[in-house]
Amino acid sequence: MSQGYRVAVLGATGAVGTELLELLEERNFPLAALKLLASERSAGKKLPFKGENLLVEAVSEGALENVDLVLASAGGSISKIWAPKAVEKGGVVIDNSSAFRMNPEVPLIVPEVNPEVAINHKGIIANPNCTTILMSVGIFPLHKVQPIKRIVVATYQSASGAGARAMSEVKNQSLDILAGKEPVTEVFPYPLAFNLFPHNSPLNSGGYCEEEMKMVNETRKIFNDSKIKISATCVRVPVLRAHSEAINLEFETPFKIEEAREILSKSPGVKLVENWQKNYFPMPIEATGQDEVLVGRIRQDISHECGLELWLCGDQIRKGAALNAVQIAELLVENNYV
């Protein structure tokens, strides 16, 4: 379609949905038409786009007619219902939920890592988990040069990972605590303001939570390497937006620090941030609103001659969700896969 594509944003009123709209406008995505879809509860709201206020519709089979591309960010249960219906009507769905990520028939894509698998799509493409996306962008350039044997990662995950209501909850809890009041918890199980706790997703029998296993399984699928050993510890921290990760990598042979730094400084989607004299490295406050994953503090693991340590921060709503989805859409358009 030379004139552009008919796009629907499902979950348009959420934190990721509104970011998708900003990115479609900012990146001048080739649009012939744009529909904003959400639940019945959100229908009737208006959202700004290119100087206009667009009406949000309730998602329905009729609303999915004549749509080329659906950017879905409405949760797994919603995606399981509506993504197949959109495909039946001829659309391609880029889904931000976990509903289809581990389906072997569904490509799981980080454009800087595995764009080539987009050609295999059968109507649905999965957007990986935020922590997986950020880690993949930051370490895959090294993996291409020398395959990684083992990854040990600890995440420091902001409130934005649980949505707009979670961000508001942390702000309100901060005010309550400073005023000497008991903080109210509705989104999270425990107060997050001035606190932190292991990620609140369900635990498996081995003691790993769902979020940690997403990093394990999704990274193996994206890297197309089932042999990588991965262990993750995911933690919620009192940061509004942008996640951080401390990553330990083990290779077959030593990886020179200078080479790793040179590779990452030239890698797409990565910004090297290091000032050793000032002890200045990536921070979530500086990653917020940025497209790139900030990587730094690259150093030799003193406990293992074949190990590297690095630290990264990335905007969870942007590259960890909405931007990655829009980049997948751009990839599809560029290669005529829609």
Side-chain angles (χ1 to χ4, degrees), residues 1 46 56 107 115 129 133 152 163 183 288 291 309 334:
M1 293 180 61
K46 291 187 176 181
V56 177
N129 190 48
I133 292 173
V152 179
T288 295
D291 289 349
E309 304 263 13
E334 182 181 339

Side-chain angles (χ1 to χ4, degrees), residues 111-176:
E112 295 90 343
V113 177
N114 61 338
E116 68 282 353
V117 302
I119 196 173
N120 300 322
H121 83 77
K122 297 179 180 179
I124 299 176
I125 294 174
N127 209 28
N129 190 48
C130 50
T131 50
T132 306
I133 292 173
L134 301 177
M135 182 172 75
S136 296
V137 171
I139 70 173
F140 186 74
L142 304 178
H143 181 71
K144 283 197 300 182
V145 174
Q146 187 179 159
I148 297 167
K149 285 180 58 181
R150 184 169 183 252
I151 304 168
V152 179
V153 55
T155 70
Y156 304 75
Q157 295 181 223
S158 62
S160 64
R165 284 182 60 235
M167 296 169 73
S168 295
E169 179 169 287
V170 174
K171 292 178 184 178
N172 293 333
Q173 287 176 350
S174 299
L175 295 174
D176 288 342

